[in-house]
Amino acid sequence: MLKHQATKFEVGKVLAFAVGGLPVLAHAQPWAAGQSYDWLGWVLGLCLAALFVIVALEALYTFRHYAFTLNRLFARQRPIYAGIEQANWPHITVFIAAHNEEAVISGCIEALLNVDYPRDRLTIMPVNDRSTDGTRQIIDSYADRNPGRLQLFHRQDGPPGKAAALADATSIVQAQGQSELIVIFDADYLPGKKIIKQLVAPFLDPEIGAVMGRVVPQNAGVNLLTRLLDLERSGGYQVDQQARYNIGAVAQYGGTVGGIRLSALKEVGGWTPNVLAEDTDLTYRLLLKGWQTAYLGYAECYEEVPESWAVRFRQIGRWAKGHNQVLAKFWQQMVTRKSLTMMERVDGLALLGVFLMSPILLIGWVLALIVTVTGYSINANVNIALLMLLITTGFACVGNFAAFFEVAAAVHLDGHQRRLRLLPLLLTGFVVSMIAVSKATLDGLVLDRLLKRQFKWDKTVRYRQTSPTPLQEATSE
């Protein structure tokens, strides 16, 4: 770190300490000779200081939600690649990430076989990562019936995880030297006919290193959970992602329904197999190397969302662990890297810390309870205690409303106003997610390290039942 950067960082720490310590100093009782030390007073003062910092952090995310929502409702948008329909389309390879996907992979393969893209410039490569069910047989049957359309890659060994499998597949594509881009779908996704051209078009801009499309649940009408997840997805993609791209913040590559320029991937060091969130990891490595990620809200692809709360709990816990790994890896570079704009720096740090906010909010609730219960009984400064209580209460109203406002705006933009009736029930999903993320954060940052536990990948359950392939029908007879 350069000297002047270190000086700025130290000044920032001093200012942060001073601001965060104000409630402690205001609350603490002066010590005089012969007077017993008011330890309880200082403890409450520390609680107030921590609560002050928590409220400030929550206020930052509240402002972020409102800014994104207002941008989507009233500001100029950036569909700058949407009009490209004719071009000198490059040769690409489409990966289908698959591990024990016999229930869904046929739907993805069939959709990709029928996309609107020049056949001589499109290779479909199912990345079958050590499946033990009928996934391999299904892939092979499609390859037999569509000669020259699929390139087979059945991975039998190597380190576990999606990133490791993609790394092996990418090395094959790079060695062949034919494709300039790779596009990735998870096996349960159903790509539309135009989506490949939509995802490839931004790469005509040489500054684009990755693109990300919009994910839409295809099983939203199954039960209450799927309907709530549909609302969350709508808020996240229709408002949050699009607004970040509009204002020049950090558009996030999401690991599926996206494309990557192979030269950019090579420049940043390829895939990182030892992280759980390979998509977020790649987003930040591209950003720090000066590559742009484009978000395409009009490039829609359809997925399965969890249909049970237990599956959802494990899924979001896995996301939280992976995201926090990336936070620990990149937060210092986001603070010190000169090449970043202020918008990229601030939003990038906020995005890195998003999964930490659940345990921080839980801590804030506990501290608010302590201040409320004990604030008048241990010689506390009543004015400070009341002020912090009012700030916390006010934020609970305005801050929580911000996320609901974002979802409501997204539903309005999608033209699905009737779904707004479910908006109050999002509180259920919020509480479940907060508990799951808090548990995953505690495990990932503390317990897994202390107990030296290895992470076990928890595969998301598939629900869709597709029509059998000819091979499956023959096998069953």
Side-chain angles (χ1 to χ4, degrees), residues 219-220 222-229 233 304-316 428-429 432-433 436 458-463:
N219 59 335
V222 172
N223 55 34
L224 175 61
L225 172 60
T226 60
R227 289 180 171 88
L228 295 180
L229 292 179
R233 293 287 197 277
E304 277 196 340
V305 291
E307 297 180 9
S308 77
W309 289 102
V311 174
R312 171 61 176 170
F313 191 93
R314 293 192 296 270
Q315 180 191 60
I316 199 169
T428 304
V432 171
S433 296
D458 182 69
K459 177 178 168 55
T460 302
V461 176
R462 306 302 188 200
Y463 304 92

PDB file of all heavy atoms in Angstrom, residues 219-220 222-229 233 304-316 428-429 432-433 436 458-463:
ATOM      1  N   ASN A 219     -41.732 -22.263 -11.949  1.00  0.00           N
ATOM      2  CA  ASN A 219     -42.657 -22.999 -11.074  1.00  0.00           C
ATOM      3  C   ASN A 219     -43.213 -22.088  -9.986  1.00  0.00           C
ATOM      4  O   ASN A 219     -43.456 -22.524  -8.858  1.00  0.00           O
ATOM      5  CB  ASN A 219     -41.969 -24.210 -10.454  1.00  0.00           C
ATOM      6  CG  ASN A 219     -40.735 -23.839  -9.626  1.00  0.00           C
ATOM      7  OD1 ASN A 219     -40.109 -22.804  -9.849  1.00  0.00           O
ATOM      8  ND2 ASN A 219     -40.376 -24.679  -8.673  1.00  0.00           N
ATOM      9  N   ALA A 220     -43.428 -20.812 -10.316  1.00  0.00           N
ATOM     10  CA  ALA A 220     -43.843 -19.836  -9.310  1.00  0.00           C
ATOM     11  C   ALA A 220     -45.213 -20.144  -8.714  1.00  0.00           C
ATOM     12  O   ALA A 220     -45.499 -19.757  -7.576  1.00  0.00           O
ATOM     13  CB  ALA A 220     -43.853 -18.428  -9.920  1.00  0.00           C
ATOM     14  N   VAL A 222     -46.566 -22.962  -7.692  1.00  0.00           N
ATOM     15  CA  VAL A 222     -46.723 -24.241  -6.998  1.00  0.00           C
ATOM     16  C   VAL A 222     -47.266 -24.069  -5.584  1.00  0.00           C
ATOM     17  O   VAL A 222     -48.220 -24.727  -5.179  1.00  0.00           O
ATOM     18  CB  VAL A 222     -45.383 -24.996  -6.969  1.00  0.00           C
ATOM     19  CG1 VAL A 222     -45.480 -26.244  -6.089  1.00  0.00           C
ATOM     20  CG2 VAL A 222     -44.974 -25.388  -8.383  1.00  0.00           C
ATOM     21  N   ASN A 223     -46.661 -23.191  -4.793  1.00  0.00           N
ATOM     22  CA  ASN A 223     -47.092 -22.995  -3.415  1.00  0.00           C
ATOM     23  C   ASN A 223     -46.690 -21.597  -2.943  1.00  0.00           C
ATOM     24  O   ASN A 223     -46.191 -20.780  -3.726  1.00  0.00           O
ATOM     25  CB  ASN A 223     -46.511 -24.081  -2.480  1.00  0.00           C
ATOM     26  CG  ASN A 223     -44.985 -24.162  -2.558  1.00  0.00           C
ATOM     27  OD1 ASN A 223     -44.291 -23.158  -2.738  1.00  0.00           O
ATOM     28  ND2 ASN A 223     -44.448 -25.372  -2.415  1.00  0.00           N
ATOM     29  N   LEU A 224     -46.908 -21.318  -1.665  1.00  0.00           N
ATOM     30  CA  LEU A 224     -46.618 -19.984  -1.144  1.00  0.00           C
ATOM     31  C   LEU A 224     -45.143 -19.640  -1.266  1.00  0.00           C
ATOM     32  O   LEU A 224     -44.784 -18.515  -1.652  1.00  0.00           O
ATOM     33  CB  LEU A 224     -47.052 -19.896   0.330  1.00  0.00           C
ATOM     34  CG  LEU A 224     -46.709 -18.582   1.051  1.00  0.00           C
ATOM     35  CD1 LEU A 224     -47.385 -17.396   0.372  1.00  0.00           C
ATOM     36  CD2 LEU A 224     -47.074 -18.659   2.526  1.00  0.00           C
ATOM     37  N   LEU A 225     -44.262 -20.596  -0.956  1.00  0.00           N
ATOM     38  CA  LEU A 225     -42.827 -20.323  -1.016  1.00  0.00           C
ATOM     39  C   LEU A 225     -42.400 -19.931  -2.420  1.00  0.00           C
ATOM     40  O   LEU A 225     -41.666 -18.949  -2.604  1.00  0.00           O
ATOM     41  CB  LEU A 225     -42.036 -21.553  -0.555  1.00  0.00           C
ATOM     42  CG  LEU A 225     -40.515 -21.475  -0.737  1.00  0.00           C
ATOM     43  CD1 LEU A 225     -39.929 -20.305   0.044  1.00  0.00           C
ATOM     44  CD2 LEU A 225     -39.860 -22.787  -0.324  1.00  0.00           C
ATOM     45  N   THR A 226     -42.830 -20.679  -3.425  1.00  0.00           N
ATOM     46  CA  THR A 226     -42.417 -20.349  -4.796  1.00  0.00           C
ATOM     47  C   THR A 226     -42.955 -18.997  -5.222  1.00  0.00           C
ATOM     48  O   THR A 226     -42.295 -18.273  -5.983  1.00  0.00           O
ATOM     49  CB  THR A 226     -42.876 -21.429  -5.783  1.00  0.00           C
ATOM     50  OG1 THR A 226     -44.308 -21.537  -5.752  1.00  0.00           O
ATOM     51  CG2 THR A 226     -42.263 -22.780  -5.427  1.00  0.00           C
ATOM     52  N   ARG A 227     -44.133 -18.633  -4.754  1.00  0.00           N
ATOM     53  CA  ARG A 227     -44.679 -17.315  -5.082  1.00  0.00           C
ATOM     54  C   ARG A 227     -43.865 -16.205  -4.419  1.00  0.00           C
ATOM     55  O   ARG A 227     -43.619 -15.156  -5.023  1.00  0.00           O
ATOM     56  CB  ARG A 227     -46.141 -17.230  -4.657  1.00  0.00           C
ATOM     57  CG  ARG A 227     -47.088 -18.072  -5.519  1.00  0.00           C
ATOM     58  CD  ARG A 227     -48.531 -17.956  -5.045  1.00  0.00           C
ATOM     59  NE  ARG A 227     -49.452 -18.587  -5.984  1.00  0.00           N
ATOM     60  CZ  ARG A 227     -49.793 -19.867  -5.963  1.00  0.00           C
ATOM     61  NH1 ARG A 227     -49.263 -20.672  -5.025  1.00  0.00           N
ATOM     62  NH2 ARG A 227     -50.629 -20.359  -6.856  1.00  0.00           N
ATOM     63  N   LEU A 228     -43.437 -16.441  -3.185  1.00  0.00           N
ATOM     64  CA  LEU A 228     -42.609 -15.445  -2.500  1.00  0.00           C
ATOM     65  C   LEU A 228     -41.239 -15.323  -3.157  1.00  0.00           C
ATOM     66  O   LEU A 228     -40.697 -14.218  -3.299  1.00  0.00           O
ATOM     67  CB  LEU A 228     -42.456 -15.809  -1.023  1.00  0.00           C
ATOM     68  CG  LEU A 228     -43.729 -15.784  -0.181  1.00  0.00           C
ATOM     69  CD1 LEU A 228     -43.424 -16.168   1.266  1.00  0.00           C
ATOM     70  CD2 LEU A 228     -44.398 -14.417  -0.226  1.00  0.00           C
ATOM     71  N   LEU A 229     -40.662 -16.452  -3.568  1.00  0.00           N
ATOM     72  CA  LEU A 229     -39.374 -16.409  -4.254  1.00  0.00           C
ATOM     73  C   LEU A 229     -39.493 -15.713  -5.601  1.00  0.00           C
ATOM     74  O   LEU A 229     -38.549 -15.047  -6.053  1.00  0.00           O
ATOM     75  CB  LEU A 229     -38.818 -17.823  -4.429  1.00  0.00           C
ATOM     76  CG  LEU A 229     -38.398 -18.531  -3.138  1.00  0.00           C
ATOM     77  CD1 LEU A 229     -37.889 -19.937  -3.436  1.00  0.00           C
ATOM     78  CD2 LEU A 229     -37.338 -17.741  -2.401  1.00  0.00           C
ATOM     79  N   ARG A 233     -37.128 -12.692  -6.680  1.00  0.00           N
ATOM     80  CA  ARG A 233     -36.386 -12.682  -7.933  1.00  0.00           C
ATOM     81  C   ARG A 233     -36.739 -11.435  -8.746  1.00  0.00           C
ATOM     82  O   ARG A 233     -35.868 -10.817  -9.373  1.00  0.00           O
ATOM     83  CB  ARG A 233     -36.706 -13.928  -8.760  1.00  0.00           C
ATOM     84  CG  ARG A 233     -36.238 -15.236  -8.171  1.00  0.00           C
ATOM     85  CD  ARG A 233     -34.725 -15.393  -8.284  1.00  0.00           C
ATOM     86  NE  ARG A 233     -34.340 -16.766  -8.083  1.00  0.00           N
ATOM     87  CZ  ARG A 233     -34.164 -17.353  -6.908  1.00  0.00           C
ATOM     88  NH1 ARG A 233     -34.336 -16.648  -5.797  1.00  0.00           N
ATOM     89  NH2 ARG A 233     -33.807 -18.630  -6.822  1.00  0.00           N
ATOM     90  N   GLU A 304     -36.062 -23.401 -11.983  1.00  0.00           N
ATOM     91  CA  GLU A 304     -36.830 -23.940 -10.855  1.00  0.00           C
ATOM     92  C   GLU A 304     -36.359 -23.277  -9.572  1.00  0.00           C
ATOM     93  O   GLU A 304     -35.153 -23.159  -9.345  1.00  0.00           O
ATOM     94  CB  GLU A 304     -36.609 -25.450 -10.727  1.00  0.00           C
ATOM     95  CG  GLU A 304     -37.464 -26.284 -11.621  1.00  0.00           C
ATOM     96  CD  GLU A 304     -37.473 -27.734 -11.172  1.00  0.00           C
ATOM     97  OE1 GLU A 304     -36.572 -28.150 -10.435  1.00  0.00           O
ATOM     98  OE2 GLU A 304     -38.385 -28.450 -11.557  1.00  0.00           O
ATOM     99  N   VAL A 305     -37.294 -22.851  -8.738  1.00  0.00           N
ATOM    100  CA  VAL A 305     -36.947 -22.369  -7.406  1.00  0.00           C
ATOM    101  C   VAL A 305     -37.359 -23.438  -6.398  1.00  0.00           C
ATOM    102  O   VAL A 305     -38.210 -24.285  -6.684  1.00  0.00           O
ATOM    103  CB  VAL A 305     -37.648 -21.027  -7.083  1.00  0.00           C
ATOM    104  CG1 VAL A 305     -37.082 -19.914  -7.946  1.00  0.00           C
ATOM    105  CG2 VAL A 305     -39.163 -21.127  -7.247  1.00  0.00           C
ATOM    106  N   PRO A 306     -36.753 -23.449  -5.205  1.00  0.00           N
ATOM    107  CA  PRO A 306     -37.103 -24.456  -4.204  1.00  0.00           C
ATOM    108  C   PRO A 306     -38.594 -24.445  -3.865  1.00  0.00           C
ATOM    109  O   PRO A 306     -39.204 -23.383  -3.764  1.00  0.00           O
ATOM    110  CB  PRO A 306     -36.253 -24.049  -2.989  1.00  0.00           C
ATOM    111  CG  PRO A 306     -35.085 -23.330  -3.577  1.00  0.00           C
ATOM    112  CD  PRO A 306     -35.622 -22.598  -4.762  1.00  0.00           C
ATOM    113  N   GLU A 307     -39.130 -25.622  -3.662  1.00  0.00           N
ATOM    114  CA  GLU A 307     -40.541 -25.763  -3.319  1.00  0.00           C
ATOM    115  C   GLU A 307     -40.752 -26.146  -1.868  1.00  0.00           C
ATOM    116  O   GLU A 307     -41.897 -26.337  -1.440  1.00  0.00           O
ATOM    117  CB  GLU A 307     -41.206 -26.793  -4.248  1.00  0.00           C
ATOM    118  CG  GLU A 307     -41.203 -26.361  -5.710  1.00  0.00           C
ATOM    119  CD  GLU A 307     -41.851 -27.372  -6.640  1.00  0.00           C
ATOM    120  OE1 GLU A 307     -42.459 -28.341  -6.118  1.00  0.00           O
ATOM    121  OE2 GLU A 307     -41.757 -27.216  -7.869  1.00  0.00           O
ATOM    122  N   SER A 308     -39.675 -26.255  -1.095  1.00  0.00           N
ATOM    123  CA  SER A 308     -39.805 -26.532   0.337  1.00  0.00           C
ATOM    124  C   SER A 308     -38.883 -25.594   1.102  1.00  0.00           C
ATOM    125  O   SER A 308     -37.829 -25.201   0.606  1.00  0.00           O
ATOM    126  CB  SER A 308     -39.464 -27.993   0.653  1.00  0.00           C
ATOM    127  OG  SER A 308     -38.061 -28.194   0.648  1.00  0.00           O
ATOM    128  N   TRP A 309     -39.297 -25.260   2.321  1.00  0.00           N
ATOM    129  CA  TRP A 309     -38.528 -24.322   3.135  1.00  0.00           C
ATOM    130  C   TRP A 309     -37.181 -24.900   3.530  1.00  0.00           C
ATOM    131  O   TRP A 309     -36.196 -24.170   3.641  1.00  0.00           O
ATOM    132  CB  TRP A 309     -39.335 -23.930   4.378  1.00  0.00           C
ATOM    133  CG  TRP A 309     -40.501 -23.038   4.066  1.00  0.00           C
ATOM    134  CD1 TRP A 309     -41.811 -23.391   3.974  1.00  0.00           C
ATOM    135  CD2 TRP A 309     -40.446 -21.626   3.806  1.00  0.00           C
ATOM    136  NE1 TRP A 309     -42.581 -22.304   3.664  1.00  0.00           N
ATOM    137  CE2 TRP A 309     -41.780 -21.207   3.562  1.00  0.00           C
ATOM    138  CE3 TRP A 309     -39.417 -20.684   3.744  1.00  0.00           C
ATOM    139  CZ2 TRP A 309     -42.095 -19.873   3.265  1.00  0.00           C
ATOM    140  CZ3 TRP A 309     -39.735 -19.360   3.455  1.00  0.00           C
ATOM    141  CH2 TRP A 309     -41.056 -18.967   3.223  1.00  0.00           C
ATOM    142  N   ALA A 310     -37.116 -26.211   3.734  1.00  0.00           N
ATOM    143  CA  ALA A 310     -35.838 -26.826   4.116  1.00  0.00           C
ATOM    144  C   ALA A 310     -34.808 -26.689   2.999  1.00  0.00           C
ATOM    145  O   ALA A 310     -33.638 -26.370   3.243  1.00  0.00           O
ATOM    146  CB  ALA A 310     -36.056 -28.304   4.463  1.00  0.00           C
ATOM    147  N   VAL A 311     -35.242 -26.908   1.759  1.00  0.00           N
ATOM    148  CA  VAL A 311     -34.332 -26.771   0.619  1.00  0.00           C
ATOM    149  C   VAL A 311     -33.899 -25.323   0.468  1.00  0.00           C
ATOM    150  O   VAL A 311     -32.725 -25.020   0.217  1.00  0.00           O
ATOM    151  CB  VAL A 311     -35.011 -27.279  -0.666  1.00  0.00           C
ATOM    152  CG1 VAL A 311     -34.137 -26.999  -1.886  1.00  0.00           C
ATOM    153  CG2 VAL A 311     -35.298 -28.771  -0.562  1.00  0.00           C
ATOM    154  N   ARG A 312     -34.832 -24.408   0.628  1.00  0.00           N
ATOM    155  CA  ARG A 312     -34.506 -22.986   0.537  1.00  0.00           C
ATOM    156  C   ARG A 312     -33.516 -22.573   1.625  1.00  0.00           C
ATOM    157  O   ARG A 312     -32.573 -21.805   1.370  1.00  0.00           O
ATOM    158  CB  ARG A 312     -35.791 -22.163   0.672  1.00  0.00           C
ATOM    159  CG  ARG A 312     -35.599 -20.657   0.801  1.00  0.00           C
ATOM    160  CD  ARG A 312     -34.914 -20.072  -0.405  1.00  0.00           C
ATOM    161  NE  ARG A 312     -34.827 -18.622  -0.312  1.00  0.00           N
ATOM    162  CZ  ARG A 312     -34.122 -17.857  -1.132  1.00  0.00           C
ATOM    163  NH1 ARG A 312     -33.437 -18.412  -2.116  1.00  0.00           N
ATOM    164  NH2 ARG A 312     -34.096 -16.549  -0.990  1.00  0.00           N
ATOM    165  N   PHE A 313     -33.712 -23.089   2.833  1.00  0.00           N
ATOM    166  CA  PHE A 313     -32.827 -22.763   3.955  1.00  0.00           C
ATOM    167  C   PHE A 313     -31.391 -23.169   3.635  1.00  0.00           C
ATOM    168  O   PHE A 313     -30.451 -22.403   3.832  1.00  0.00           O
ATOM    169  CB  PHE A 313     -33.333 -23.487   5.210  1.00  0.00           C
ATOM    170  CG  PHE A 313     -32.677 -23.042   6.480  1.00  0.00           C
ATOM    171  CD1 PHE A 313     -33.243 -22.049   7.260  1.00  0.00           C
ATOM    172  CD2 PHE A 313     -31.499 -23.632   6.915  1.00  0.00           C
ATOM    173  CE1 PHE A 313     -32.649 -21.634   8.450  1.00  0.00           C
ATOM    174  CE2 PHE A 313     -30.888 -23.235   8.087  1.00  0.00           C
ATOM    175  CZ  PHE A 313     -31.473 -22.227   8.867  1.00  0.00           C
ATOM    176  N   ARG A 314     -31.218 -24.380   3.103  1.00  0.00           N
ATOM    177  CA  ARG A 314     -29.868 -24.849   2.776  1.00  0.00           C
ATOM    178  C   ARG A 314     -29.286 -24.093   1.585  1.00  0.00           C
ATOM    179  O   ARG A 314     -28.082 -23.806   1.549  1.00  0.00           O
ATOM    180  CB  ARG A 314     -29.897 -26.357   2.493  1.00  0.00           C
ATOM    181  CG  ARG A 314     -30.234 -27.210   3.711  1.00  0.00           C
ATOM    182  CD  ARG A 314     -29.952 -28.679   3.438  1.00  0.00           C
ATOM    183  NE  ARG A 314     -30.806 -29.213   2.389  1.00  0.00           N
ATOM    184  CZ  ARG A 314     -31.993 -29.765   2.600  1.00  0.00           C
ATOM    185  NH1 ARG A 314     -32.478 -29.841   3.831  1.00  0.00           N
ATOM    186  NH2 ARG A 314     -32.701 -30.245   1.580  1.00  0.00           N
ATOM    187  N   GLN A 315     -30.131 -23.777   0.609  1.00  0.00           N
ATOM    188  CA  GLN A 315     -29.639 -23.068  -0.573  1.00  0.00           C
ATOM    189  C   GLN A 315     -29.087 -21.696  -0.221  1.00  0.00           C
ATOM    190  O   GLN A 315     -27.978 -21.329  -0.613  1.00  0.00           O
ATOM    191  CB  GLN A 315     -30.777 -22.918  -1.594  1.00  0.00           C
ATOM    192  CG  GLN A 315     -30.367 -22.191  -2.866  1.00  0.00           C
ATOM    193  CD  GLN A 315     -31.562 -21.831  -3.734  1.00  0.00           C
ATOM    194  OE1 GLN A 315     -32.454 -21.098  -3.310  1.00  0.00           O
ATOM    195  NE2 GLN A 315     -31.575 -22.344  -4.964  1.00  0.00           N
ATOM    196  N   ILE A 316     -29.852 -20.921   0.544  1.00  0.00           N
ATOM    197  CA  ILE A 316     -29.398 -19.567   0.857  1.00  0.00           C
ATOM    198  C   ILE A 316     -28.228 -19.593   1.828  1.00  0.00           C
ATOM    199  O   ILE A 316     -27.363 -18.706   1.813  1.00  0.00           O
ATOM    200  CB  ILE A 316     -30.566 -18.715   1.394  1.00  0.00           C
ATOM    201  CG1 ILE A 316     -30.214 -17.224   1.274  1.00  0.00           C
ATOM    202  CG2 ILE A 316     -30.905 -19.067   2.838  1.00  0.00           C
ATOM    203  CD1 ILE A 316     -31.371 -16.306   1.517  1.00  0.00           C
ATOM    204  N   THR A 428     -42.242 -13.426   6.091  1.00  0.00           N
ATOM    205  CA  THR A 428     -41.927 -14.826   6.436  1.00  0.00           C
ATOM    206  C   THR A 428     -40.619 -15.252   5.792  1.00  0.00           C
ATOM    207  O   THR A 428     -39.724 -15.807   6.449  1.00  0.00           O
ATOM    208  CB  THR A 428     -43.062 -15.746   5.959  1.00  0.00           C
ATOM    209  OG1 THR A 428     -44.294 -15.315   6.521  1.00  0.00           O
ATOM    210  CG2 THR A 428     -42.786 -17.184   6.382  1.00  0.00           C
ATOM    211  N   GLY A 429     -40.502 -15.004   4.493  1.00  0.00           N
ATOM    212  CA  GLY A 429     -39.265 -15.348   3.810  1.00  0.00           C
ATOM    213  C   GLY A 429     -38.074 -14.576   4.350  1.00  0.00           C
ATOM    214  O   GLY A 429     -36.963 -15.110   4.418  1.00  0.00           O
ATOM    215  N   VAL A 432     -36.902 -16.298   7.630  1.00  0.00           N
ATOM    216  CA  VAL A 432     -36.231 -17.563   7.345  1.00  0.00           C
ATOM    217  C   VAL A 432     -34.843 -17.307   6.748  1.00  0.00           C
ATOM    218  O   VAL A 432     -33.847 -17.933   7.149  1.00  0.00           O
ATOM    219  CB  VAL A 432     -37.077 -18.422   6.388  1.00  0.00           C
ATOM    220  CG1 VAL A 432     -36.285 -19.648   5.917  1.00  0.00           C
ATOM    221  CG2 VAL A 432     -38.365 -18.857   7.065  1.00  0.00           C
ATOM    222  N   SER A 433     -34.768 -16.378   5.800  1.00  0.00           N
ATOM    223  CA  SER A 433     -33.479 -16.070   5.186  1.00  0.00           C
ATOM    224  C   SER A 433     -32.505 -15.498   6.196  1.00  0.00           C
ATOM    225  O   SER A 433     -31.311 -15.826   6.178  1.00  0.00           O
ATOM    226  CB  SER A 433     -33.674 -15.085   4.025  1.00  0.00           C
ATOM    227  OG  SER A 433     -34.442 -15.667   2.990  1.00  0.00           O
ATOM    228  N   ALA A 436     -31.157 -18.364   8.264  1.00  0.00           N
ATOM    229  CA  ALA A 436     -30.272 -19.214   7.469  1.00  0.00           C
ATOM    230  C   ALA A 436     -28.938 -18.533   7.201  1.00  0.00           C
ATOM    231  O   ALA A 436     -27.870 -19.143   7.337  1.00  0.00           O
ATOM    232  CB  ALA A 436     -30.951 -19.576   6.145  1.00  0.00           C
ATOM    233  N   ASP A 458     -24.361 -29.024  -0.943  1.00  0.00           N
ATOM    234  CA  ASP A 458     -25.745 -29.460  -0.804  1.00  0.00           C
ATOM    235  C   ASP A 458     -26.475 -29.157  -2.106  1.00  0.00           C
ATOM    236  O   ASP A 458     -26.778 -28.006  -2.407  1.00  0.00           O
ATOM    237  CB  ASP A 458     -26.414 -28.740   0.370  1.00  0.00           C
ATOM    238  CG  ASP A 458     -27.838 -29.191   0.574  1.00  0.00           C
ATOM    239  OD1 ASP A 458     -28.030 -30.342   0.991  1.00  0.00           O
ATOM    240  OD2 ASP A 458     -28.762 -28.391   0.314  1.00  0.00           O
ATOM    241  N   LYS A 459     -26.750 -30.175  -2.873  1.00  0.00           N
ATOM    242  CA  LYS A 459     -27.393 -29.992  -4.169  1.00  0.00           C
ATOM    243  C   LYS A 459     -28.859 -29.609  -3.994  1.00  0.00           C
ATOM    244  O   LYS A 459     -29.580 -30.198  -3.182  1.00  0.00           O
ATOM    245  CB  LYS A 459     -27.285 -31.267  -4.995  1.00  0.00           C
ATOM    246  CG  LYS A 459     -27.989 -31.188  -6.337  1.00  0.00           C
ATOM    247  CD  LYS A 459     -27.798 -32.456  -7.130  1.00  0.00           C
ATOM    248  CE  LYS A 459     -28.731 -32.478  -8.331  1.00  0.00           C
ATOM    249  NZ  LYS A 459     -28.575 -31.289  -9.174  1.00  0.00           N
ATOM    250  N   THR A 460     -29.298 -28.621  -4.764  1.00  0.00           N
ATOM    251  CA  THR A 460     -30.685 -28.195  -4.712  1.00  0.00           C
ATOM    252  C   THR A 460     -31.575 -29.255  -5.353  1.00  0.00           C
ATOM    253  O   THR A 460     -31.294 -29.738  -6.454  1.00  0.00           O
ATOM    254  CB  THR A 460     -30.873 -26.852  -5.440  1.00  0.00           C
ATOM    255  OG1 THR A 460     -30.014 -25.881  -4.838  1.00  0.00           O
ATOM    256  CG2 THR A 460     -32.308 -26.379  -5.336  1.00  0.00           C
ATOM    257  N   VAL A 461     -32.655 -29.602  -4.667  1.00  0.00           N
ATOM    258  CA  VAL A 461     -33.580 -30.629  -5.149  1.00  0.00           C
ATOM    259  C   VAL A 461     -34.276 -30.144  -6.419  1.00  0.00           C
ATOM    260  O   VAL A 461     -34.650 -28.978  -6.537  1.00  0.00           O
ATOM    261  CB  VAL A 461     -34.626 -30.948  -4.058  1.00  0.00           C
ATOM    262  CG1 VAL A 461     -35.662 -31.944  -4.569  1.00  0.00           C
ATOM    263  CG2 VAL A 461     -33.937 -31.490  -2.812  1.00  0.00           C
ATOM    264  N   ARG A 462     -34.452 -31.059  -7.386  1.00  0.00           N
ATOM    265  CA  ARG A 462     -35.186 -30.763  -8.611  1.00  0.00           C
ATOM    266  C   ARG A 462     -36.595 -31.343  -8.521  1.00  0.00           C
ATOM    267  O   ARG A 462     -36.796 -32.427  -7.961  1.00  0.00           O
ATOM    268  CB  ARG A 462     -34.470 -31.349  -9.833  1.00  0.00           C
ATOM    269  CG  ARG A 462     -33.023 -30.939  -9.981  1.00  0.00           C
ATOM    270  CD  ARG A 462     -32.838 -29.456 -10.056  1.00  0.00           C
ATOM    271  NE  ARG A 462     -31.462 -29.096 -10.376  1.00  0.00           N
ATOM    272  CZ  ARG A 462     -30.931 -27.909 -10.132  1.00  0.00           C
ATOM    273  NH1 ARG A 462     -31.649 -26.979  -9.541  1.00  0.00           N
ATOM    274  NH2 ARG A 462     -29.685 -27.656 -10.447  1.00  0.00           N
ATOM    275  N   TYR A 463     -37.542 -30.637  -9.119  1.00  0.00           N
ATOM    276  CA  TYR A 463     -38.945 -31.042  -9.013  1.00  0.00           C
ATOM    277  C   TYR A 463     -39.579 -31.330 -10.368  1.00  0.00           C
ATOM    278  O   TYR A 463     -40.531 -32.091 -10.460  1.00  0.00           O
ATOM    279  CB  TYR A 463     -39.760 -29.942  -8.321  1.00  0.00           C
ATOM    280  CG  TYR A 463     -39.212 -29.563  -6.968  1.00  0.00           C
ATOM    281  CD1 TYR A 463     -38.292 -28.526  -6.836  1.00  0.00           C
ATOM    282  CD2 TYR A 463     -39.601 -30.250  -5.820  1.00  0.00           C
ATOM    283  CE1 TYR A 463     -37.784 -28.175  -5.591  1.00  0.00           C
ATOM    284  CE2 TYR A 463     -39.094 -29.905  -4.579  1.00  0.00           C
ATOM    285  CZ  TYR A 463     -38.182 -28.868  -4.466  1.00  0.00           C
ATOM    286  OH  TYR A 463     -37.672 -28.530  -3.236  1.00  0.00           O
TER     287      TYR A 463
END
